[in-house]
Structure formats: C-alpha cells, structure tokens
Amino acid sequence: MNKELKVKITLRADSSSAWASVNPVLLKGEAGYEVDTGKLKFGDGTTKWSDLMYFVGNVDLSGYMTLAEYKGSGAGVVKAADKLQTARKINGVGFDGTADITIKDNTKIPTSEKGQKNGVATLDNNGLVPSTQLPSYVDDVIEGYYSEGKFYKEQSHTTLIKGESGKIYVDLNPSAKFEQYRWSGSSFVCITKPLDIASTEEAKSGTDDTKVMTPLKVSQAIENKGYITEENAANTYEAKITNKKSAFNVDFGTTAGTAAEGNDARFSDARIPKGVAGGDLTGNYPNPTIKNSAITNEKIADGALSTSKLFTPSGDTLILNGGNSQG
C-alpha cells in the first residue's frame, strides 16, 4: 500500500564564501545555490564547487551544457559565449567577445610596409638592403654620347639612355672634351664647361672680362687693361692714385713735402741734437756739461794734458829749481 508523504524539497544553499570554504563535490544533477549572489551551480559528481561554472538560462536538459562544452578544451577557456560580463581592453581597444577587433601594435612593422614606398627597407640573406630598394648613388657615372638634348649608348645614336636624377652622364664625343651632365627631371644640364679662351683681338680690345687669356694674350692686353706680367715687368707702370702722399705715392724732390733720394743735401745737413744727454755728459742738448768725476786717468790719453791746456799763467811766474812755471 502506497503512503503519501507531505514534504518540501529545497536546494542546498549557502553564502558564496561558505561554498568556497567547504568547496564540496555535488552529485550529478545536484544544485547548489549562493544566497548572497543569487547564482546557481549544478554538480557532475566529480568536479569541486570552485571549478563548476555558474548556470545561465532556463533549467532545460536539452539546453544544458556539460562542463567540457562550457569551458572548452582547455582549463579556463570559454568555448562559446554571447559576451563578456565585464568588457576588457586589448592595446586600448575595447573587447567584450561579441565581435572581432583589429589590434595596432606600434612596436611591430606591418608586412605590407616592407620594401614599399613610405615603408621600410628589408634585408637580404647577407644582411644588406637590396639594391632595388636603394636610391641612385650620386657617384653613379654613365658614359654615352650627347646629341641634341639626348644621351645615347653608341656614337651612332642608336640606343637612347633614359635620364635619371642623382647620376652623372659623361659625353664621350671627342669634341665634347668629356663634358658632364645631370638630369634635371626634364632635360640634361651641363655641369662642366671647358675654358673659354679669348682671341687675340678680344685680348687687345679688352672689352670682355669673362674669357680666359693665355700669358701671351695677357701681355697683348697690357696697354689697354693695365695688366703687368713677368715678361713686361721692365716697363714703367704706375697705378693711378688720386690722393698722393698716402702710403709711398709721393713725388721725389729736394723741397719740403717730397721724398729724398740719391745725394739729396737733406741727408747730410747738420742737425742740432735735442733731448737728455747721456754717457759722461749731464744736462740737455744742445748745451750739456761733463759730469762730476767723469774724467779719470784711464780716459786721459798719455801726454794729452799740458800746463798750457790746464790754465794760462798771468802775473808773476815763480821759478823753482829751474823747473816749469807754476804760477
């Protein structure tokens, strides 16, 4: 005989901290409820509470996901989800799992920029930048034959050479004297010009200062241009200076204001000395005197002094023993 029992069935319930502290293993299908968060977990008979995922959705066996399905193949990896409960940022870009995002990393160079314009150069197997990614070298020299604004590989002007910036083109035509050109972007521009030597007539006329003259033609132009060369140095040329008496541009002569030369009397004319006397003299010129005690025995020549030179006797003369007069 069946008996009817009147009971109430409740789920295992506790606070989230209590569940974490005990960390039990729920039976398969057994429910555990966190009273403080309102969240629910279902056991599988083997997994501890902390490793179980919270239940989301309706209690429907057909829609119930196993732990493996919910977590994916790796620990802590979500296999499928609508969105993250808390969005995260990846390199400053918001991500909640609902859509793909494009990450820009300034520490890496995009492959699309390698070897491209406004990008970066790559390296070959030798660790060098390929020549295809390098600009033309300034010292690139291309030899050819210039004719009517164009360069050709052959003297017969058959194969045209395309102009490029950063390169030097040398004209091999014998009459060109190896003139050099640069490509301006639209035409070849000569960067070397041979010396333009003046003719004899041009040198004599002296009307063109832009041409070069040889030494011979320079001498021919002297009379017109005032040039002085070694072969004509014997000729008399005087630079025209309007303000004379400046530097050495003074006329020679024998009067005041002229320069003295040769046996000019001004070289031998007597001059009255001036200034302080020196040596055995004292005082000033023109009337210095002899210093006291300046006359010594050493400075008097033997026999240079005599009685007549020392004083002139006057009045009576005293003669002693037939000696000389002592006055």
Side-chain angles (χ1 to χ4, degrees):
M1 181 177 178
N2 294 331
K3 292 184 179 181
E4 182 180 353
L5 298 177
K6 294 181 179 181
V7 296
K8 291 183 179 180
I9 300 175
T10 61
L11 301 178
R12 292 182 60 177
D14 211 332
S15 65
S16 57
S17 60
W19 280 111
S21 176
V22 177
N23 201 22
V25 176
L26 300 182
L27 298 175
K28 186 176 182 180
E30 182 181 6
Y33 179 66
E34 290 181 351
V35 296
D36 55 341
T37 64
K39 295 180 180 180
L40 183 67
K41 290 185 179 183
F42 287 93
D44 59 2
T46 58
T47 305
K48 291 185 177 182
W49 173 268
S50 60
D51 294 327
L52 291 173
M53 303 301 296
Y54 289 109
F55 173 76
V56 179
N58 299 323
V59 180
D60 184 355
L61 293 179
S62 63
Y64 180 73
M65 293 188 298
T66 65
L67 178 64
E69 290 175 329
Y70 196 85
K71 295 182 63 176
S73 59
V77 179
V78 176
K79 188 172 185 180
D82 291 334
K83 63 185 297 185
L84 297 177
Q85 181 176 356
T86 304
R88 296 289 186 263
K89 287 187 177 180
I90 303 177
N91 280 5
V93 180
F95 176 72
D96 62 2
T98 60
D100 294 336
I101 61 173
T102 300
I103 303 301
K104 293 183 179 180
D105 190 350
N106 295 330
T107 64
K108 297 180 176 59
I109 300 174
T111 305
S112 59
E113 295 183 6
K114 294 181 179 180
Q116 302 299 320
K117 293 181 178 179
N118 298 322
V120 294
T122 58
L123 300 179
D124 58 18
N125 295 333
N126 297 319
L128 304 176
V129 178
S131 59
T132 56
Q133 298 180 28
L134 294 174
S136 298
Y137 292 105
V138 175
D139 59 351
D140 277 351
V141 178
I142 299 177
E143 296 180 340
Y145 297 87
Y146 179 79
S147 176
E148 297 180 354
K150 297 180 181 180
F151 257 93
Y152 299 88
K153 291 184 178 180
E154 307 87 4
Q155 192 171 7
S156 59
H157 303 164
T158 303
T159 306
L160 187 67
I161 298 177
K162 183 180 179 181
E164 297 181 54
S165 60
K167 295 187 178 181
I168 298 175
Y169 298 82
V170 179
D171 187 3
L172 298 180
N173 283 306
S175 60
K177 300 179 181 179
F178 299 100
E179 291 182 356
Q180 300 176 12
Y181 292 79
R182 295 290 296 272
W183 177 250
S184 68
S186 59
S187 62
F188 288 100
V189 179
C190 184
I191 58 176
T192 57
K193 284 289 185 182
L195 293 177
D196 192 1
I197 301 176
S199 63
T200 301
E201 291 72 19
E202 290 172 329
K204 288 182 177 180
S205 64
T207 57
D208 191 347
D209 293 333
T210 63
K211 294 186 178 182
V212 177
M213 290 186 290
T214 62
L216 177 60
K217 292 179 180 178
V218 169
S219 64
Q220 294 171 342
I222 287 175
E223 293 300 328
N224 289 16
K225 304 296 288 184
Y227 300 135
I228 299 177
T229 62
E230 183 178 354
E231 61 186 87
N232 290 277
N235 296 332
T236 301
Y237 297 98
E238 179 181 355
K240 184 177 180 181
I241 302 177
T242 57
N243 183 20
K244 291 191 174 183
K245 297 184 181 180
S246 62
F248 294 101
N249 192 39
V250 179
D251 292 330
F252 289 100
T254 59
T255 61
T258 60
E261 64 176 335
N263 60 351
D264 194 317
R266 288 176 291 177
F267 290 141
S268 58
D269 283 355
R271 294 290 187 270
I272 299 175
K274 298 180 181 180
V276 179
D280 291 337
L281 301 179
T282 183
N284 297 317
Y285 289 105
N287 300 307
T289 59
I290 299 174
K291 290 181 180 179
N292 294 333
S293 303
I295 305 300
T296 61
N297 293 334
E298 291 77 8
K299 294 181 179 180
I300 300 175
D302 189 22
L305 291 180
S306 64
T307 302
S308 59
K309 292 181 179 179
L310 292 176
F311 55 86
T312 301
S314 60
D316 296 334
T317 300
L318 177 62
I319 303 299
L320 298 177
N321 298 326
N324 293 327
S325 60
Q326 302 295 317

